[in-house]
Amino acid sequence: MTDVIPAPRAVEGTASHVFRFDADTSLWAGPGTGTTERWLRAALGAALGLPLPAAADAQEPGAVRLRLDDALEPEGYRLTVTEGSVEIRGGGPAGVFWGAQTLRQLLGPDAFRRAPVRPGAGRTLPAQVVEDAPRFRWRGLLLDVARHFMPKDGVLRYLDLMAAHKLNVLHLHLTDDQGWRIQIERYPRLTEVGSWRARTRFGHRASPLWEDKPHGGYYTQDDIREIVAYAAERHITVVPEIDVPGHSQAAIAAYPELGNTDVVDTTALTVWDDWGVSRNVLAPTDATLRFYEGVLEEVLGLFPAEAGQFGAFVHLGGDECPKDQWRASPTAQARIKELGLADEDELQAWFVGHFDKWLAARGRRLIGWDEILEGGRRAEATAVPGGGAAAVPTGGLTPGAAVSSWRGYAGGIAAARAGHDVVMCPEQQVYLDHRQDAGADEPVPIGFVRTLQDVYRFEPVPDGLDEAQARRVLGTQANLWTEVMETTARVDYQAFPRLAAFAEVAWSALPAPQERDFADFERRMSTHYRRLDALGVGYRPPTGPLPWQRRPGVLGRPIEGAPPVR
């Protein structure tokens, strides 16, 4: 029986023999395993207080051996512990790295610290063989650093937390109405003006409370390079999001000519200090297109296509774009007429489609929220889990474009049927900003109640897809939107322990949702909480929030009842 999270496919072993880490334990790294070799010395070596020197050869007694084995799946691994050695074989470099994460878990919670707390203790492993491989290729976490900025060290810390849970895609939401967080050298006002706001509403939109001090911050280009490189060392791809044409008030505040100047005085706009969806959206002009092409040219240089298996992707949002200003704008209406479009929905599709083609011409792939399916010239009736159907447009995108299905399953089903890759992240299931309990002491309660068990029973592949269409589901992603998460401690509280359950859903070959052994997961979590303690994670305890985790008197937006399946 093992306490590993995510649960591995197979474990065989006996406690009659053990391998002991000591001052003589060495490390042999075969070709292609350098990232794991470096990580083991830096992380596990520090926790155990051991140098893990290089072994003279693969046969050296008492060595930890790392090697590639093309008989295994690319991210699969086989961890073999005997009395005389530890061997991690991986189908690729990532597989070896994920095997090392399992090795650390087997050594116990002290292996998650940065220095030894009980010298000489916690250094033994029972003889066993662990064989494992992930169910999904895309195992993601969205981190919204636009609403509340997370300094670089916090992002690096979350990359370590992701690696510990075998998650491999960080979707970094870099721009929104409330802030622009990435330095663009040719457009310096994006960070000079767009990266900070004068004040911030404290709580949801109904809250009367304000934090009356400036909030802001941004990542320099070297910060971004560091984040991308740090992630790559952990076999994590960072997918940047630059939101267009909605969620753009911070950019318009910095460069007013980007907005609908024939409708509103864009020179009077500031970075938005409230939550929700701003009506100030980008103008559909050639100048706006050229501006964002300039932005994206720098973004592509900072997020190279070879930086991870999903490095070709750039997320362009494409969601929640109010059309009021376009309806009132002579410039927008002239553009609709010039292009022969039917309405403002098709204008949005044209805007997103321009960058879809622009990225494709540069060997990159657009990914966007499921609204990018709208405004096309085709539509189909899409069955949704639980019965019924929804008419979802599916045309207008290049074959390489992919969809993040956030409003439910329907958009992902339609996209998969239309031949597009899909990342499933329905808000009703895996938006971790939603509250974890119905109790009155939950801090700033948002959305539906999504308990640890609810997340554990989430199924990323919906009914209604045939085998070929189901293969279009690249994987799944949990999203952390930070409107009411003003500190890293608040992010921790919303993320954990549910992110551990999500990681198992994304990685492990689990049975159907209602057949999953949640009692066994809870048993394993009793050990995992101690690992999270060692990592300094401010998770929500199973018994409810601690006094300092509560936010009495701060209004949220709870939604009662079970979330709809659509």
Side-chain angles (χ1 to χ4, degrees):
M1 185 175 290
T2 176
D3 289 332
V4 172
I5 291 176
R9 289 187 179 181
V11 180
E12 296 180 359
T14 173
S16 59
H17 299 285
V18 297
F19 177 87
R20 180 175 296 278
F21 281 83
D22 57 31
D24 294 326
T25 302
S26 57
L27 181 58
W28 182 85
T33 66
T35 54
T36 303
E37 177 188 17
R38 290 187 289 274
W39 181 86
L40 280 170
R41 286 207 178 92
L44 195 60
L48 299 179
L50 298 175
L52 301 180
D57 55 56
Q59 280 68 49
E60 184 171 302
V64 176
R65 300 192 296 265
L66 312 174
R67 65 175 83 230
L68 301 184
D69 184 343
D70 59 11
L72 300 172
E73 297 178 37
E75 289 190 272
Y77 67 88
R78 181 184 298 114
L79 168 61
T80 303
V81 182
T82 68
E83 191 173 5
S85 68
V86 174
E87 181 177 83
I88 304 174
R89 290 177 177 257
V96 178
F97 185 74
W98 304 134
Q101 301 307 310
T102 296
L103 172 65
R104 180 164 71 158
Q105 289 201 22
L106 293 173
L107 280 166
D110 284 354
F112 287 77
R113 297 190 178 273
R114 296 185 184 184
V117 294
R118 296 173 185 83
R123 293 182 178 182
T124 58
L125 283 174
Q128 60 192 300
V129 178
V130 181
E131 296 202 24
D132 204 5
R135 178 186 178 191
F136 291 109
R137 291 168 54 206
W138 185 301
R139 306 178 301 279
L141 172 68
L142 177 143
L143 194 56
D144 170 16
V145 297
R147 272 52 175 271
H148 276 103
F149 179 64
M150 179 179 286
K152 180 196 67 179
D153 284 354
V155 177
L156 300 180
R157 172 176 176 265
Y158 258 82
L159 287 167
D160 282 331
L161 293 173
M162 290 175 65
H165 292 84
K166 301 185 176 74
L167 299 172
N168 69 340
V169 178
L170 174 63
H171 175 169
L172 205 54
H173 184 77
L174 290 164
T175 73
D176 216 294
D177 299 310
Q178 296 86 1
W180 184 284
R181 306 298 180 204
I182 179 172
Q183 178 189 27
I184 302 298
E185 290 181 345
R186 72 187 72 185
Y187 303 127
R189 286 177 60 84
L190 286 172
T191 46
E192 290 172 0
V193 175
S195 70
W196 68 276
R197 56 184 182 263
R199 64 174 189 169
T200 301
R201 187 182 293 279
F202 190 51
H204 195 256
R205 291 191 297 273
S207 171
L209 305 175
W210 292 88
E211 179 65 76
D212 286 309
K213 69 177 183 180
H215 175 85
Y218 65 91
Y219 308 112
T220 67
Q221 294 206 351
D222 280 347
D223 290 338
I224 292 293
R225 293 184 182 102
E226 181 182 357
I227 288 168
V228 170
Y230 193 86
E233 277 284 300
R234 286 147 184 78
H235 299 276
I236 297 171
T237 306
V238 183
V239 174
E241 181 179 357
I242 307 295
D243 215 337
V244 297
H247 288 288
S248 298
Q249 184 165 324
I252 297 168
Y255 290 92
E257 64 271 22
L258 296 174
N260 294 283
T261 58
D262 54 352
V263 177
V264 296
D265 178 10
T266 56
T267 63
L269 295 178
T270 61
V271 176
W272 208 23
D273 57 14
D274 210 345
W275 310 128
V277 181
S278 171
R279 297 190 177 280
N280 293 294
V281 302
L282 298 175
T285 64
D286 288 342
T288 300
L289 298 181
R290 300 294 87 77
F291 183 97
Y292 274 87
E293 286 170 2
V295 168
L296 290 173
E297 283 174 3
E298 295 193 25
V299 168
L300 297 190
L302 295 170
F303 297 88
E306 61 271 18
Q309 65 169 314
F310 297 109
F313 282 103
V314 176
H315 206 292
L316 288 186
D319 62 318
E320 295 181 323
C321 179
K323 310 298 192 301
D324 301 26
Q325 292 184 359
W326 287 355
R327 293 187 186 99
S329 165
T331 301
Q333 293 304 310
R335 178 67 81 169
I336 289 172
K337 183 176 180 180
E338 170 198 342
L339 297 171
L341 303 177
D343 54 23
E344 292 77 19
D345 287 338
E346 288 196 359
L347 183 61
Q348 179 176 347
W350 165 81
F351 196 109
V352 173
H354 171 85
F355 289 104
D356 182 13
K357 296 178 180 66
W358 188 91
L359 288 169
R362 289 155 181 78
R364 297 302 192 96
R365 297 181 64 182
L366 167 77
I367 184 168
W369 303 111
D370 51 58
E371 285 96 326
I372 68 173
L373 296 168
E374 297 174 353
R377 301 306 178 94
R378 300 184 281 115
E380 66 177 32
T382 299
V384 297
V392 181
T394 59
L397 299 174
T398 64
V403 169
S404 300
S405 189
W406 77 274
R407 292 180 294 178
Y409 288 104
I413 294 171
R417 288 179 175 174
H420 295 291
D421 288 337
V422 177
V423 175
M424 284 292 185
C425 49
E427 69 164 325
Q428 305 89 346
Q429 311 297 327
V430 288
Y431 270 33
L432 300 186
D433 47 303
H434 282 211
R435 57 195 172 132
Q436 302 182 63
D437 189 88
D441 56 358
E442 288 299 312
V444 198
I446 299 295
F448 296 102
V449 172
R450 293 285 84 191
T451 66
L452 183 65
Q453 183 169 181
D454 290 331
V455 173
Y456 190 68
R457 297 195 189 282
F458 164 61
E459 173 49 48
V461 179
D463 295 334
L465 298 179
D466 63 28
E467 185 176 346
Q469 293 162 352
R471 286 197 295 270
R472 287 289 184 180
V473 179
L474 294 175
T476 183
Q477 179 173 290
N479 294 347
L480 276 169
W481 300 103
T482 61
E483 287 93 336
V484 299
M485 299 183 215
E486 72 282 2
T487 64
T488 300
R490 283 284 292 120
V491 176
D492 279 5
Y493 181 90
Q494 294 300 133
F496 290 98
R498 293 181 298 179
L499 193 62
F502 173 81
E504 184 148 312
V505 168
W507 176 278
S508 303
L510 299 177
Q514 295 310 312
E515 298 171 9
R516 294 174 188 173
D517 190 349
F518 182 69
D520 179 69
F521 178 76
E522 282 192 303
R523 178 193 64 77
R524 288 180 285 125
M525 277 302 301
S526 65
T527 298
H528 201 66
Y529 285 120
R530 294 169 57 207
R531 298 178 189 130
L532 296 178
D533 288 334
L535 288 167
V537 176
Y539 58 85
R540 180 190 188 275
T543 53
L546 298 168
W548 56 87
Q549 293 173 322
R550 300 166 188 162
R551 295 293 183 274
V554 181
L555 293 178
R557 185 182 63 91
I559 303 175
E560 302 304 328
V565 179
R566 58 176 186 243

